[in-house]
Coordinates of all heavy atoms in Angstrom, one line a residue:
L1 N 55.7 81.5 123.5 CA 57.0 80.7 123.4 C 56.9 79.8 124.7 O 56.5 80.3 125.8 CB 58.2 81.5 123.6 CG 58.6 82.4 122.2 CD1 59.7 83.2 122.6 CD2 58.9 81.4 121.1
L2 N 57.5 78.6 124.7 CA 57.7 77.7 125.8 C 58.8 78.3 126.6 O 59.7 78.9 126.1 CB 57.9 76.3 125.3 CG 56.8 75.6 124.6 CD1 57.2 74.3 124.1 CD2 55.5 75.5 125.5
V3 N 58.8 78.0 127.9 CA 59.9 78.3 128.8 C 60.4 77.1 129.4 O 59.7 76.3 130.0 CB 59.3 79.3 129.9 CG1 60.5 79.7 130.8 CG2 58.7 80.5 129.3
E4 N 61.8 76.9 129.4 CA 62.4 75.8 129.9 C 63.6 76.2 130.7 O 64.2 77.2 130.5 CB 62.9 74.9 128.8 CG 61.9 74.3 128.0 CD 62.3 73.5 126.7 OE1 63.6 73.4 126.6 OE2 61.6 72.9 126.0
L5 N 64.1 75.3 131.6 CA 65.4 75.4 132.3 C 66.4 74.8 131.4 O 66.2 74.2 130.4 CB 65.3 74.7 133.6 CG 64.3 75.2 134.6 CD1 64.3 74.3 135.9 CD2 64.5 76.6 135.0
A6 N 67.7 75.1 131.7 CA 68.8 74.6 130.9 C 68.8 73.1 130.7 O 69.2 72.6 129.8 CB 70.1 75.1 131.5
D7 N 68.3 72.4 131.7 CA 68.4 70.8 131.7 C 67.1 70.4 130.8 O 66.9 69.2 130.6 CB 68.3 70.2 133.0 CG 67.1 70.5 133.7 OD1 66.1 71.1 133.3 OD2 67.0 70.0 134.9
G8 N 66.3 71.3 130.3 CA 65.1 70.9 129.4 C 63.8 70.8 130.2 O 62.8 70.4 129.6
S9 N 63.8 71.0 131.5 CA 62.7 70.8 132.3 C 61.7 72.0 131.9 O 62.2 73.2 131.8 CB 63.0 71.0 133.8 OG 64.0 70.0 134.2
P10 N 60.4 71.6 131.7 CA 59.4 72.6 131.3 C 59.1 73.6 132.6 O 59.0 73.2 133.7 CB 58.2 71.8 130.9 CG 58.5 70.6 131.6 CD 59.9 70.3 131.7
V11 N 58.9 74.9 132.3 CA 58.5 75.8 133.4 C 57.2 76.3 133.0 O 56.4 76.4 133.9 CB 59.5 77.0 133.4 CG1 59.0 78.1 134.4 CG2 60.9 76.4 133.8
G12 N 56.9 76.6 131.8 CA 55.5 77.2 131.4 C 55.6 77.8 130.0 O 56.5 77.4 129.2
T13 N 54.7 78.7 129.8 CA 54.5 79.5 128.6 C 54.5 80.9 128.8 O 53.8 81.4 129.8 CB 53.2 79.0 127.9 OG1 53.2 77.6 127.8 CG2 53.1 79.7 126.5
I14 N 55.2 81.8 128.1 CA 55.1 83.2 128.2 C 53.6 83.6 127.7 O 53.2 83.3 126.6 CB 56.1 83.9 127.3 CG1 57.5 83.6 127.7 CG2 55.9 85.4 127.2 CD1 58.6 84.0 126.8
T15 N 53.0 84.4 128.6 CA 51.7 84.8 128.3 C 51.7 86.4 128.2 O 50.6 86.9 127.5 CB 50.7 84.5 129.4 OG1 51.2 84.9 130.7 CG2 50.5 83.0 129.5
A16 N 52.7 87.1 128.6 CA 52.7 88.5 128.4 C 54.1 89.1 128.6 O 54.9 88.4 129.3 CB 51.7 89.2 129.3
I17 N 54.4 90.2 128.1 CA 55.6 90.9 128.3 C 55.3 92.3 128.7 O 54.5 93.0 128.0 CB 56.5 90.9 127.0 CG1 56.9 89.5 126.6 CG2 57.8 91.7 127.3 CD1 57.6 89.5 125.2
Y18 N 55.8 92.7 129.8 CA 55.4 94.0 130.3 C 56.7 95.0 130.3 O 57.8 94.6 130.5 CB 55.0 94.0 131.8 CG 53.7 93.1 131.9 CD1 53.8 91.8 132.5 CD2 52.5 93.6 131.6 CE1 52.7 91.0 132.6 CE2 51.3 92.8 131.7 CZ 51.5 91.5 132.3 OH 50.4 90.7 132.5
N19 N 56.4 96.3 130.0 CA 57.4 97.3 130.1 C 56.8 98.4 130.9 O 56.0 99.2 130.6 CB 57.8 97.8 128.7 CG 58.9 98.9 128.8 OD1 58.9 99.8 129.5 ND2 59.9 98.6 127.9
F20 N 57.4 98.5 132.2 CA 56.9 99.5 133.1 C 57.9 100.7 133.0 O 57.8 101.6 134.0 CB 56.8 98.9 134.5 CG 55.8 97.8 134.6 CD1 56.3 96.6 134.8 CD2 54.5 98.1 134.5 CE1 55.3 95.6 134.9 CE2 53.6 97.2 134.6 CZ 53.9 95.8 134.8
G21 N 58.6 100.9 132.0 CA 59.5 102.1 131.9 C 60.8 102.0 132.8 O 61.5 102.9 132.9
G22 N 61.0 100.7 133.3 CA 62.2 100.5 134.0 C 63.4 100.1 133.1 O 63.4 100.3 132.0
S23 N 64.4 99.4 133.8 CA 65.6 99.0 133.0 C 65.3 97.8 132.2 O 66.1 97.5 131.2 CB 66.7 98.8 134.0 OG 66.4 97.8 134.9
S24 N 64.3 96.9 132.5 CA 64.2 95.7 131.6 C 62.7 95.4 131.5 O 62.0 95.8 132.4 CB 65.0 94.5 132.1 OG 64.5 94.1 133.4
D25 N 62.3 94.6 130.5 CA 61.0 94.2 130.4 C 60.8 93.0 131.5 O 61.6 92.4 131.9 CB 60.7 93.6 129.0 CG 60.7 94.7 127.9 OD1 60.5 95.9 128.4 OD2 60.9 94.4 126.7
I26 N 59.5 92.7 131.7 CA 59.1 91.7 132.6 C 58.3 90.6 131.9 O 57.3 90.9 131.1 CB 58.3 92.2 133.7 CG1 58.9 93.3 134.6 CG2 57.8 91.0 134.7 CD1 60.2 92.8 135.3
L27 N 58.8 89.4 132.0 CA 58.0 88.2 131.3 C 57.1 87.7 132.3 O 57.4 87.5 133.5 CB 58.9 87.1 130.9 CG 60.1 87.5 129.9 CD1 61.0 86.3 129.6 CD2 59.4 88.0 128.6
E28 N 55.8 87.4 131.8 CA 54.8 86.7 132.6 C 54.8 85.4 132.1 O 54.5 85.2 130.9 CB 53.5 87.4 132.6 CG 52.4 86.7 133.3 CD 51.0 87.3 133.2 OE1 50.9 88.6 133.7 OE2 50.1 86.7 132.7
I29 N 55.0 84.3 133.0 CA 55.0 82.9 132.5 C 53.9 82.2 133.3 O 53.8 82.2 134.5 CB 56.3 82.3 132.9 CG1 57.4 83.1 132.1 CG2 56.4 80.8 132.6 CD1 58.8 82.8 132.6
A30 N 52.9 81.5 132.5 CA 51.9 80.8 133.1 C 52.6 79.3 133.3 O 53.2 78.8 132.5 CB 50.7 80.6 132.1
R31 N 52.4 78.9 134.5 CA 53.0 77.6 135.0 C 51.9 76.5 135.0 O 50.8 76.8 135.6 CB 53.6 77.7 136.3 CG 54.7 78.8 136.3 CD 55.4 78.9 137.7 NE 56.2 77.7 137.8 CZ 56.9 77.6 138.9 NH1 57.0 78.4 139.8 NH2 57.7 76.5 139.0
P32 N 52.1 75.3 134.5 CA 51.1 74.4 134.3 C 50.7 73.9 135.8 O 49.5 73.5 135.9 CB 51.7 73.3 133.6 CG 53.2 73.5 133.5 CD 53.3 75.1 133.8
D33 N 51.6 74.0 136.8 CA 51.3 73.5 138.1 C 50.3 74.5 138.9 O 49.7 74.1 139.8 CB 52.5 73.2 139.0 CG 53.4 74.4 138.9 OD1 53.3 75.3 138.2 OD2 54.3 74.3 140.0
D34 N 50.3 75.8 138.5 CA 49.5 76.7 139.1 C 49.2 77.9 138.2 O 49.9 78.9 138.2 CB 50.1 77.3 140.5 CG 49.1 78.2 141.3 OD1 48.0 78.4 140.8 OD2 49.6 78.5 142.3
P35 N 48.3 77.8 137.2 CA 48.1 78.8 136.2 C 47.6 80.1 136.7 O 47.7 81.2 136.2 CB 47.2 78.1 135.1 CG 46.6 77.1 135.8 CD 47.5 76.7 136.9
R36 N 47.0 80.1 137.9 CA 46.5 81.3 138.5 C 47.6 82.2 139.3 O 47.4 83.2 139.6 CB 45.5 81.0 139.5 CG 44.2 80.3 138.9 CD 43.2 80.0 140.0 NE 43.7 79.4 141.2 CZ 43.3 79.6 142.4 NH1 42.4 80.6 142.7 NH2 43.9 78.9 143.4
Q37 N 48.7 81.5 139.4 CA 49.9 82.2 140.1 C 51.0 82.4 139.0 O 51.9 81.5 139.1 CB 50.2 81.6 141.2 CG 51.3 82.3 142.1 CD 50.9 83.5 142.8 OE1 49.7 83.6 143.0 NE2 51.7 84.5 142.8
P38 N 50.9 83.4 138.2 CA 52.1 83.4 137.2 C 53.4 83.8 137.7 O 53.6 84.3 138.8 CB 51.6 84.5 136.2 CG 50.7 85.4 137.0 CD 50.1 84.4 138.0
L39 N 54.4 83.3 137.0 CA 55.9 83.7 137.4 C 56.3 84.9 136.7 O 56.0 85.0 135.5 CB 56.8 82.4 137.0 CG 58.2 82.6 137.2 CD1 58.6 82.8 138.7 CD2 59.0 81.5 136.7
L40 N 56.8 85.9 137.4 CA 57.2 87.1 136.7 C 58.7 87.2 136.8 O 59.2 87.2 138.0 CB 56.6 88.3 137.4 CG 55.0 88.3 137.3 CD1 54.6 89.5 138.1 CD2 54.6 88.6 135.8
I41 N 59.4 87.3 135.7 CA 60.9 87.4 135.8 C 61.2 88.6 134.9 O 60.7 88.8 133.8 CB 61.6 86.1 135.4 CG1 61.3 85.7 133.9 CG2 61.2 85.0 136.3 CD1 62.2 84.6 133.4
P42 N 62.5 89.2 135.2 CA 63.0 90.2 134.3 C 63.6 89.5 133.1 O 64.2 88.5 133.1 CB 64.1 90.9 135.2 CG 64.5 89.8 136.2 CD 63.3 89.0 136.5
F43 N 63.3 90.2 132.0 CA 63.8 89.7 130.6 C 65.3 90.3 130.4 O 65.4 91.3 129.8 CB 62.9 90.2 129.5 CG 63.1 89.6 128.2 CD1 63.7 88.3 128.1 CD2 62.7 90.2 127.1 CE1 64.0 87.7 126.9 CE2 63.0 89.6 125.8 CZ 63.6 88.4 125.7
T44 N 66.2 89.8 131.1 CA 67.6 90.1 130.9 C 68.4 89.0 130.5 O 68.0 87.9 130.5 CB 68.2 90.6 132.4 OG1 68.3 89.4 133.1 CG2 67.3 91.8 132.9
S45 N 69.7 89.3 130.0 CA 70.5 88.2 129.6 C 70.9 87.2 130.6 O 71.3 86.2 130.5 CB 71.7 88.8 128.8 OG 72.5 89.6 129.6
E46 N 70.9 87.8 131.9 CA 71.2 86.9 133.0 C 70.2 85.9 133.4 O 70.4 84.8 133.6 CB 71.5 87.8 134.3 CG 72.0 87.1 135.4 CD 72.3 88.0 136.7 OE1 73.2 88.8 136.4 OE2 71.7 87.8 137.7
T47 N 68.9 86.4 133.4 CA 67.8 85.5 133.7 C 67.3 84.7 132.5 O 66.8 83.6 132.7 CB 66.6 86.2 134.4 OG1 66.2 87.2 133.5 CG2 67.0 86.8 135.6
V48 N 67.5 85.2 131.4 CA 67.1 84.5 130.1 C 68.3 84.4 129.1 O 68.5 85.3 128.2 CB 65.9 85.3 129.4 CG1 65.4 84.5 128.1 CG2 64.8 85.5 130.4
P49 N 69.2 83.5 129.3 CA 70.4 83.4 128.6 C 70.2 83.0 127.1 O 71.0 83.2 126.2 CB 71.3 82.4 129.3 CG 70.4 81.7 130.1 CD 69.3 82.5 130.4
T50 N 69.1 82.3 126.8 CA 68.8 81.8 125.5 C 67.4 82.0 125.1 O 66.4 81.7 125.7 CB 69.0 80.2 125.5 OG1 70.3 79.9 125.9 CG2 68.9 79.7 124.0
V51 N 67.3 82.7 123.8 CA 66.0 82.9 123.1 C 66.1 82.2 121.9 O 66.9 82.5 121.0 CB 65.7 84.4 122.9 CG1 64.3 84.5 122.2 CG2 65.6 85.2 124.2
D52 N 65.3 81.1 121.6 CA 65.3 80.3 120.4 C 64.0 80.3 119.8 O 63.1 79.6 119.9 CB 65.6 78.7 121.0 CG 65.7 77.8 119.8 OD1 65.6 78.2 118.7 OD2 65.7 76.5 120.1
I53 N 64.0 81.4 119.0 CA 62.7 81.7 118.2 C 62.3 80.5 117.4 O 61.2 80.1 117.3 CB 62.8 83.0 117.4 CG1 63.0 84.2 118.3 CG2 61.5 83.2 116.6 CD1 61.9 84.5 119.4
D54 N 63.4 80.0 116.5 CA 63.1 78.9 115.6 C 62.5 77.7 116.4 O 61.7 77.0 115.8 CB 64.3 78.6 114.8 CG 64.7 79.6 113.8 OD1 63.8 80.4 113.4 OD2 65.9 79.7 113.5
G55 N 63.0 77.4 117.5 CA 62.8 76.3 118.4 C 61.4 76.6 119.2 O 60.9 75.7 119.9
G56 N 60.9 77.8 119.2 CA 59.7 78.2 119.9 C 59.9 78.1 121.5 O 58.9 77.8 122.2
R57 N 61.1 78.5 121.8 CA 61.3 78.5 123.4 C 62.3 79.5 123.8 O 63.2 80.0 123.1 CB 61.8 77.0 123.8 CG 63.2 76.7 123.2 CD 63.6 75.3 123.5 NE 64.9 75.2 123.0 CZ 66.0 74.5 123.6 NH1 65.8 74.0 124.7 NH2 67.1 74.4 123.1
I58 N 62.3 79.7 125.1 CA 63.4 80.4 125.9 C 63.9 79.5 127.0 O 63.2 78.6 127.4 CB 62.9 81.8 126.3 CG1 62.0 81.7 127.5 CG2 62.5 82.7 125.2 CD1 61.8 83.0 128.3
I59 N 65.2 79.7 127.2 CA 65.7 79.0 128.5 C 66.0 80.0 129.5 O 66.7 81.1 129.2 CB 67.0 78.3 128.0 CG1 66.6 77.2 126.9 CG2 67.6 77.6 129.2 CD1 67.8 76.4 126.4
I60 N 65.6 79.8 130.7 CA 65.7 80.7 131.8 C 66.7 80.0 132.9 O 66.8 78.9 132.9 CB 64.4 81.1 132.6 CG1 63.7 79.9 133.2 CG2 63.5 81.7 131.5 CD1 62.5 80.4 134.1
D61 N 67.5 80.9 133.5 CA 68.3 80.5 134.6 C 67.5 79.9 135.7 O 66.5 80.3 136.1 CB 69.1 81.7 135.1 CG 70.1 81.4 136.1 OD1 71.1 80.8 135.8 OD2 69.8 81.7 137.4
D62 N 68.0 78.8 136.3 CA 67.3 78.1 137.5 C 67.0 79.1 138.6 O 66.0 78.9 139.2 CB 68.2 76.9 138.0 CG 68.4 75.9 137.0 OD1 68.0 76.1 135.9 OD2 69.0 74.9 137.4
E63 N 67.9 79.9 138.8 CA 67.7 80.9 140.0 C 66.6 82.0 139.7 O 66.4 82.8 140.5 CB 69.0 81.6 140.4 CG 70.0 80.5 140.9 CD 71.3 81.0 141.4 OE1 71.3 82.3 141.7 OE2 72.3 80.4 141.6
A64 N 66.2 82.1 138.5 CA 65.0 83.0 138.2 C 63.7 82.6 138.8 O 62.9 83.4 139.0 CB 64.9 83.2 136.7
I65 N 63.7 81.3 139.2 CA 62.4 80.7 139.8 C 62.5 80.8 141.3 O 63.4 80.2 141.8 CB 62.2 79.3 139.3 CG1 62.1 79.3 137.8 CG2 60.9 78.8 140.0 CD1 61.9 77.9 137.3
P66 N 61.7 81.5 142.0 CA 61.7 81.6 143.4 C 61.4 80.2 144.0 O 60.5 79.5 143.5 CB 60.6 82.6 143.9 CG 59.9 83.0 142.6 CD 60.6 82.3 141.4
T67 N 62.1 79.8 145.1 CA 61.9 78.5 145.7 C 61.0 78.8 146.9 O 61.0 79.9 147.4 CB 63.3 77.9 146.1 OG1 63.9 78.9 147.0 CG2 64.1 77.6 145.0
E68 N 60.3 77.8 147.3 CA 59.5 77.8 148.5 C 60.3 78.3 149.7 O 61.3 77.8 150.0 CB 58.9 76.5 148.7 CG 57.7 76.5 149.8 CD 56.9 75.2 149.8 OE1 56.8 74.6 148.8 OE2 56.5 74.9 150.9
G69 N 59.6 79.3 150.4 CA 60.4 79.8 151.5 C 61.3 81.0 151.2 O 61.7 81.7 152.2
S70 N 61.5 81.3 149.9 CA 62.3 82.5 149.7 C 61.4 83.7 149.7 O 60.2 83.6 149.7 CB 62.9 82.4 148.2 OG 61.9 82.7 147.2
A71 N 62.1 84.9 149.8 CA 61.3 86.1 149.9 C 60.5 86.4 148.7 O 59.5 87.1 148.8 CB 62.3 87.3 150.3
D72 N 60.9 85.8 147.5 CA 60.1 86.2 146.3 C 58.9 85.1 146.1 O 58.1 85.4 145.2 CB 61.0 86.1 145.0 CG 62.1 87.2 145.1 OD1 61.8 88.2 145.8 OD2 63.1 86.9 144.7
A73 N 58.9 84.1 146.9 CA 57.9 83.1 146.7 C 56.6 83.5 147.2 O 56.6 83.9 148.4 CB 58.4 81.7 147.2
A74 N 55.6 83.4 146.5 CA 54.2 83.7 147.1 C 53.6 82.6 147.9 O 53.9 81.4 147.7 CB 53.2 84.0 146.0
S75 N 53.0 82.9 149.0 CA 52.4 81.8 149.8 C 51.0 81.8 149.6 O 50.2 82.8 149.3 CB 52.7 82.3 151.3 OG 51.8 81.5 152.2
P76 N 50.3 80.7 149.7 CA 48.8 80.6 149.5 C 48.1 81.5 150.5 O 46.9 81.9 150.4 CB 48.5 79.2 149.8 CG 49.8 78.5 149.6 CD 50.8 79.3 149.9
D77 N 48.8 81.9 151.6 CA 48.2 82.6 152.7 C 48.4 84.2 152.5 O 47.9 85.1 153.2 CB 48.7 82.3 154.0 CG 48.4 80.9 154.4 OD1 47.3 80.4 154.0 OD2 49.2 80.3 155.1
D78 N 49.2 84.5 151.4 CA 49.4 86.0 151.1 C 48.1 86.6 150.7 O 47.3 86.1 150.0 CB 50.4 86.1 149.9 CG 51.8 85.8 150.3 OD1 52.1 85.5 151.5 OD2 52.6 85.7 149.4
E79 N 47.9 87.8 151.3 CA 46.7 88.6 150.9 C 47.0 89.4 149.6 O 48.1 89.9 149.4 CB 46.4 89.5 152.0 CG 45.9 88.9 153.3 CD 45.5 89.9 154.4 OE1 45.0 91.0 153.9 OE2 45.6 89.6 155.5
V80 N 46.0 89.6 148.9 CA 46.0 90.5 147.7 C 45.4 91.9 148.2 O 44.3 91.8 148.6 CB 45.3 90.0 146.5 CG1 45.3 90.9 145.4 CG2 45.8 88.7 146.2
R81 N 46.3 92.9 148.1 CA 45.7 94.3 148.5 C 45.5 95.0 147.3 O 46.3 95.1 146.4 CB 46.7 94.9 149.5 CG 46.9 94.0 150.8 CD 48.0 94.6 151.6 NE 48.1 93.8 152.7 CZ 47.9 94.2 154.0 NH1 47.6 95.3 154.3 NH2 48.2 93.3 154.9
S82 N 44.5 95.9 147.3 CA 44.2 96.7 146.2 C 44.4 98.2 146.6 O 44.6 98.6 147.7 CB 42.9 96.6 145.7 OG 41.9 96.7 146.8

């Protein structure tokens, strides 16, 4: 499914749905501007207010996307630890 903001701006495409046994599933969204750095958001009615199966899209809340400088935003300098 395609992922859009309420104003119709494209965000990306859902590539996976994860369930880690917590309170909600997690959506993995591939973003066209950086496909190697997927966006992970909780699949809740707050972050995903609209699921339009017939239209092939979901609409997510603008605040579900971390902004540059926020604690949730990844930096190119972030290390990956195993």
Side-chain angles (χ1 to χ4, degrees):
L1 291 174
L2 297 176
V3 181
E4 300 175 351
L5 297 177
D7 68 2
S9 301
V11 175
T13 305
I14 296 174
T15 55
I17 301 173
Y18 300 105
N19 182 309
F20 297 110
S23 61
S24 67
D25 292 340
I26 303 293
L27 299 178
E28 178 180 298
I29 301 168
R31 301 181 71 177
D33 57 339
D34 190 0
R36 296 181 312 137
Q37 185 68 32
L39 175 65
L40 300 174
I41 63 167
F43 189 28
T44 65
S45 59
E46 184 175 301
T47 56
V48 184
T50 303
V51 177
D52 180 6
I53 298 295
D54 292 336
R57 67 186 182 134
I58 67 167
I59 297 174
I60 65 171
D61 183 74
D62 295 4
E63 294 186 18
I65 300 175
T67 57
E68 192 169 326
S70 74
D72 294 331
S75 163
D77 298 327
D78 287 348
E79 288 184 33
V80 175
R81 297 179 188 238
S82 53

